[in-house]
Amino acid sequence: MLRSLRIENFVLIREADLGFGPRLNAVTGETGAGKTILAQAIGLLLGAPGDAGYLGPGASEAYVEADFDLPDGILEEEELATLAELRPEEETGLVAARRVFADGRTRAYAWGRAVPREDLASLVERLLAMSGQFEQRRLARPSFQLDVLDAFVGEEQLRLRADHARAWRELAAARRHRDELASAEAGRAERLEELRQLVERTEGFVPGTEDALRSERERLRHVTELAEAATDATEALSSEQSETGAVDQLAKAANALMPVTNLAPELQAEYVNLGDIEERLKEVTSSLRGFLSSLEAEPGRLEEVEGELERIADARRRFGAASYEELLSRAEAGVDPLAAAEEALTDTERRAADLAGRLSESRRASTKAFGEAVAAELQGLGMGDGEFEAEVSEREHGASGRDAVAFLIRPNPGLPLAPVAETASGGELSRVALALRAVAHAGAGEPTIVFDEIDAGIGGRTAHAVAEALGRLAERAQVLTITHLPQIASAAETHFRVEKVPGDPTHTRIERLAESARREEVERMLGGAEFIEAVRQ
């Protein structure tokens, strides 16, 4: 979700601080008021190049900042690893920003730290989708089309795809490990020598050794603090120099009660309790003294423990064992490392191939239903007969399987089916995007969707259909639409108005509307109060 957007000195917008609602948000205003400026500001966060013309009158720089919620796991993707390292601890969201300077240069920021523009755009694209040129770029990506189809197939397909992605990463690791061993392989004699060394280097290792040594090392590293604590506790319990120790005080209390226990029977029990406590404290004192003796018994033990742990670490590095347990297992079994790597690679290849096959089967079985569902949405959105197909073809096995998907559309009767991104106009692309998300939003991979040109060239019933589709989509995602149609604006739960304020210089103001002001704005969009009254009559 896009929580807020801040804009400073951007074209005619001096300052705007917008907080968005979780469902359908509408932005309206007179033609020329500056709605397009808002779209341009959002475009900067998606990687659009800077331009000196973005700076407002008299400003030395322009600034756009967005605050997003971050879905769980989104920063675990390999290509976002650099950004993931910059994320502050305890931070659950993303603060993304672009700054434009007077010469057109820009800087991109994530959590206040400078990052490459492309890296920021790559992350923001996963959080926010925008129609127009950005939608065309997105729809042209085969990976995006594959995401949408998988989302339509359902939750089980998405889980299967996540399993496959893990298997693919494991397969890459298994190949690297096998290749490393193979490149160092100089014959069976060398492999046998390696096995001999493995057995030799793990001599004396038993299950639990590493954990026990780590615990002992931690204890030995803090021997001074342990000794001080044990000494203070021992002296508090029993002082050799005075009668102020706890044991001595208990004995004194017991001696005071002993002569009168016959006079007051209820004191007999307390006298016995004091005796029991005294004996227990003596045991504790004895244990503490024994603990102190053990600390002094082996002054060179820390070096020995460090040496043993280093021996284990060296053996793990030498033989490529992921864990101490794996190291022991190899030594006990006497397995040829290269043969083990080959076997592991074969198993991983088999698992990845099986998962890829299941993904392909589900995709091919769903293309007809998917095409029909999208076509039905397109017809309702005023796109002719809405002829749409999803074509699945085989490609080289990769992280998402071994399928490529192409979305094809026939915009006019008699024309051949052609790729969506090459055929549809700006407004049509926005409606195609709306249709796709209406049937398979989860595959789009972004919680927030911005529609800028969705109302281009439509009105009447089609406008109502678009408004209804936006409303349905907003039940499952945050939607922001920049529109001039009252049918769409009236469906929104949160409404912003853009207006040009005369002055020297003229500037653009964006404000969130209360219910009364919102009614006035929709009335204006319908033609004004006089026009509405005339229609009523």
Side-chain angles (χ1 to χ4, degrees), residues 230-246:
T231 300
D232 291 345
T234 302
E235 291 179 353
L237 291 174
S238 179
S239 175
E240 301 290 342
Q241 287 76 32
S242 65
E243 295 183 355
T244 58

Side-chain angles (χ1 to χ4, degrees), residues 106-124:
T106 70
R107 294 294 297 273
Y109 304 90
W111 300 289
R113 301 178 67 175
V115 297
R117 180 186 79 178
E118 296 78 9
D119 288 359
L120 183 69
S122 182
L123 176 54
V124 173

Side-chain angles (χ1 to χ4, degrees), residues 45-69:
L45 298 172
L46 287 164
D51 190 314
Y54 285 155
L55 272 66
S60 59
E61 60 181 44
Y63 183 72
V64 180
E65 178 185 284
D67 186 2
F68 293 95
D69 286 324

Side-chain angles (χ1 to χ4, degrees), residues 173-235:
R175 281 175 177 155
R176 284 195 301 272
H177 182 55
R178 188 277 314 273
D179 292 345
E180 287 169 2
L181 290 175
S183 64
E185 174 65 15
R188 176 144 184 93
E190 285 76 5
R191 292 207 303 276
L192 292 175
E193 174 61 20
E194 185 172 297
L195 284 173
R196 187 193 64 74
Q197 290 184 24
L198 172 59
V199 173
E200 181 181 299
R201 292 194 183 205
T202 55
E203 184 180 356
F205 291 176
V206 296
T209 294
E210 187 177 32
D211 290 340
L213 288 171
R214 288 183 186 279
S215 298
E216 186 177 358
R217 177 177 63 182
E218 198 63 20
R219 168 179 166 144
L220 291 170
R221 282 177 173 175
H222 298 87
V223 66
T224 302
E225 299 142 83
L226 292 170
E228 288 177 356
T231 300
D232 291 345
T234 302
E235 291 179 353

